[in-house]
Amino acid sequence: MDQSLANAATQSLDELFHRQLDLSRKTATPSAAERLDRLNRLRTMVADNEQRFQEAISADFGHRAPVETTIAETLFVLGEIKHTAKKLKRWMTPQRVKTELQFWPGRNVLMPQPLGVVGIIAPWNYPLQLTLAPAIAAIAAGNRVMIKPSELTPRFANLLRELVAAAFDDGELAITGIEDGIGERFASLPFDHLLFTGSTRVGRIVAEAAGRNLTPITLELGGKSPAIIDRSADLSQAAERVAYGKLLNAGQTCIAPDYVMLPKESVGTFAALLQKSIARMYGSNASNKDYTSIISDRHYARLEALVADAASHGAKILQAASPADTAWKSARKFPPTVILGATAEMKVMQEEIFGPLLPVIGCASAEEPIDYINAHDRPLALYWFGNDDAARDAVLSRTVSGGVTVNDCLFHFTQMNQPMGGVGASGMGSYHGEWGFKTFSKLKPIFYRPGLSRLPDLYPPYGAKIARLEKLLRFLS
Ligand code: NAD
């Protein structure tokens, strides 16, 4: 990009930030009515432009199954707004907190306050959901919000920018440009909170930049999320649910099952059931409208290279078509791929797949998946299938992951009353529903000291009074 244009983009970014910062410091905390008005404008913007968002996202992907945009993006965002608007007044109400006896008749209150200016950096895979869902929480908490969408979804980013500019003052909510260098500049601004959704690699860079400003961060990252199929599982049901979880958005989902581990004697049956489920859901034709394209040629080539690397190390590749086939490649649709015999030396077991490839790994014991998971980065999601409660609880209690769905994939993410967030290399912090409201609020503890209280007994000169108070404290401690 032209250097003068890049300079102009970063300059207007800095100006925008300082305008929001000024407003956050110099104007009154937004009332519940103001926050609800902002949420309502957001709701209207999304609801009235559903079709335009769908078309823009589909054009950015090459093809995005329309139902996937409706369910995983539009309806998700509208649901989050509805839930938040309904609960907002209660979340905003200062909460009484217990006061210990020695401080009676003092009173403790926890007061939620907006942090100020919140920055949101979003990825491309669910561009509407991952820009707006954090914004809903940040707006509800009374913040001013700036969002940087991904440069890989330019049509969507331009549309969002245009619609937000029409519905909001840029001091309330603003969408930045996506020019080269904007992401780095954005991450270096001294936000009051920065939420980043994206890869673990870029997450490290963003965390470093935020650290220089002591900006608190929420990192919603990726990684390899396992699906464990216990020997007590209904294999056919598990295969269908894993296939759906994997192939939604063509595997370009942060919480998609990355690989499967199951008893080794079941690998053949499970792989056959998987292929059946895949054929039932998506057929074997690249033109299937329910199957989403890969976001870019670079990502398509990355997936081809992962398969070629696995094959060259001896893995068995099960595909209904070759990714090199013109019908598939020209539409950037990557044929669903089951990989048998994957080993640690293959790249497909080293990096997050983020596409429709599914390694299926046979295990000799129920311990093996637990040991494997604990020897690697903490996963963002974990899936367990089966009916043996003791086996399930062993996995749940001995592994740490961002979230879990038992006997299905993805659905823990859609629970409004549960926090969404990773752990370790898959992220830190969380949002969704009240968890998001709290993430973007300062929960300020306030102690109200009444006129009548024993606290003056603490002041010097220390004499008999303090001895009496000490006795009371010893009794209470
Ligand atoms: P990415 O890390 O490449 O990019 C994410 C965002 O960061 C983009 O907006 C990009 O422009 C920006 N960016 C890139 N370099 C930057 C820098 N140096 N400084 C500041 N910003 C920078 O990720 P992606 O390819 O867009 O998304 C895929 C990844 O996101 C996967 O790893 C996936 O698992 C993860 N993800 C996580 C969640 C979650 O909720 N945990 C959700 C969706 C995707």
Side-chain angles (χ1 to χ4, degrees):
M1 191 178 58
D2 184 309
Q3 193 53 43
S4 61
L5 283 179
N7 291 345
T10 51
Q11 191 187 344
S12 67
L13 180 68
D14 291 4
E15 282 167 11
L16 177 63
F17 173 75
H18 286 290
R19 175 166 150 65
Q20 290 210 351
L21 191 67
D22 240 37
L23 286 166
S24 79
R25 301 304 192 261
K26 293 182 183 159
T27 57
T29 301
S31 64
E34 282 172 291
R35 300 182 201 191
L36 286 170
D37 169 58
R38 289 175 192 174
L39 291 175
N40 202 31
R41 275 182 277 150
L42 204 58
R43 191 192 61 72
T44 307
M45 183 196 86
V46 173
D48 288 357
N49 294 284
E50 191 175 342
Q51 186 67 24
R52 290 180 77 193
F53 278 123
Q54 195 172 97
E55 284 164 10
I57 294 171
S58 192
D60 282 334
F61 271 75
H63 174 74
R64 156 67 90 71
V67 173
E68 293 183 351
T69 303
T70 304
I71 290 178
E73 309 232 47
T74 321
L75 293 183
F76 186 93
V77 165
L78 293 176
E80 190 83 23
I81 294 175
K82 189 172 181 186
H83 176 76
T84 302
K86 195 166 142 208
K87 307 275 180 177
L88 183 65
K89 285 190 182 143
R90 188 166 67 69
W91 295 346
M92 286 176 67
T93 308
Q95 302 294 314
R96 281 290 289 271
V97 173
K98 262 192 166 172
T99 306
E100 287 154 303
L101 187 61
Q102 64 268 38
F103 298 107
W104 283 8
R107 194 159 58 87
N108 278 314
V109 168
L110 209 47
M111 179 196 210
Q113 280 189 300
L115 294 170
V117 184
V118 167
I120 294 168
I121 301 180
W124 51 264
N125 62 327
Y126 291 96
L128 182 71
Q129 187 208 121
L130 296 170
T131 46
L132 295 190
I136 292 163
I139 288 170
N143 298 283
R144 299 178 182 270
V145 183
M146 288 169 59
I147 302 176
K148 199 214 71 76
S150 167
E151 64 285 0
L152 288 184
T153 44
R155 295 170 190 82
F156 162 78
N158 289 334
L159 176 62
L160 184 67
R161 196 174 192 189
E162 171 200 322
L163 296 175
V164 165
F168 290 88
D169 181 285
D170 69 3
E172 298 173 315
L173 173 65
I175 312 299
T176 73
I178 50 171
E179 296 89 343
D180 288 350
I182 289 285
E184 287 83 344
R185 185 73 181 189
F186 191 94
S188 75
L189 293 171
F191 286 108
D192 294 299
H193 194 103
L194 183 58
L195 182 141
F196 169 83
T197 306
S199 61
T200 300
R201 183 187 71 77
V202 177
R204 284 183 213 280
I205 301 170
V206 168
E208 265 189 59
R212 284 194 280 279
N213 297 316
L214 292 184
T215 291
I217 46 172
T218 302
L219 294 177
E220 299 283 341
L221 308 177
K224 294 184 81 62
S225 298
I228 301 174
I229 318 280
D230 187 65
R231 62 180 66 254
S232 63
D234 173 338
L235 280 187
S236 142
Q237 187 187 70
E240 180 160 64
R241 294 176 184 182
V242 168
Y244 176 74
K246 183 73 185 185
L247 297 175
L248 182 80
N249 208 26
Q252 301 163 109
T253 302
C254 58
I255 51 167
D258 189 275
Y259 60 94
V260 174
M261 295 186 113
L262 79 171
K264 61 179 179 206
E265 62 277 14
S266 304
V267 167
T269 312
F270 185 73
L273 287 166
L274 260 179
Q275 287 180 293
K276 250 183 160 170
S277 297
I278 293 168
R280 199 166 45 243
M281 287 185 216
Y282 296 101
S284 56
N285 199 328
S287 61
N288 189 323
K289 295 278 177 228
D290 292 338
Y291 194 50
T292 292
S293 299
I294 301 302
I295 189 72
S296 69
D297 291 340
R298 185 174 66 79
H299 278 282
Y300 199 93
R302 180 182 65 79
L303 294 168
E304 278 184 300
L306 284 180
V307 175
D309 173 75
S312 75
H313 285 91
K316 186 169 173 196
I317 310 296
L318 306 177
Q319 287 171 323
S322 160
D325 185 310
T326 320
W328 291 80
K329 196 163 190 162
S330 62
R332 258 197 337 261
K333 296 218 178 153
F334 201 99
T337 304
V338 177
I339 300 177
L340 303 184
T343 58
E345 62 186 345
M346 299 175 190
K347 289 206 178 72
V348 80
M349 289 311 293
Q350 294 165 4
E351 57 187 72
E352 179 181 6
I353 294 173
F354 219 56
L357 323 180
L358 186 65
V360 175
I361 297 161
C363 297
S365 71
E367 291 292 305
E368 205 177 312
I370 297 176
D371 293 342
Y372 183 86
I373 290 161
N374 287 334
H376 291 80
D377 284 343
R378 304 278 199 214
L380 181 59
L382 182 146
Y383 303 111
W384 188 89
F385 290 84
N387 294 303
D388 177 339
D389 293 357
R392 177 199 64 206
D393 292 345
V395 172
L396 294 187
S397 65
R398 290 178 53 201
T399 60
V400 180
S401 58
V404 173
T405 296
V406 172
N407 280 324
D408 213 327
C409 295
L410 314 181
F411 285 106
H412 64 283
F413 179 90
T414 62
Q415 308 304 312
M416 297 256 184
N417 297 309
Q418 292 268 49
M420 168 63 195
V423 54
S426 59
M428 62 175 80
S430 62
Y431 71 115
H432 284 182
E434 190 172 9
W435 300 90
F437 178 86
K438 287 183 171 161
T439 287
F440 296 118
S441 297
K442 165 66 187 167
L443 295 179
K444 187 161 74 180
I446 304 172
F447 176 66
Y448 288 93
R449 156 106 192 260
L452 272 177
S453 98
R454 304 197 64 126
L455 292 179
D457 294 359
L458 282 172
Y459 304 162
Y462 303 125
K465 289 181 309 180
I466 192 94
R468 275 201 305 277
L469 190 64
E470 191 182 325
K471 215 165 146 190
L472 174 66
L473 290 175
R474 280 189 191 286
F475 174 72
L476 295 171
S477 304

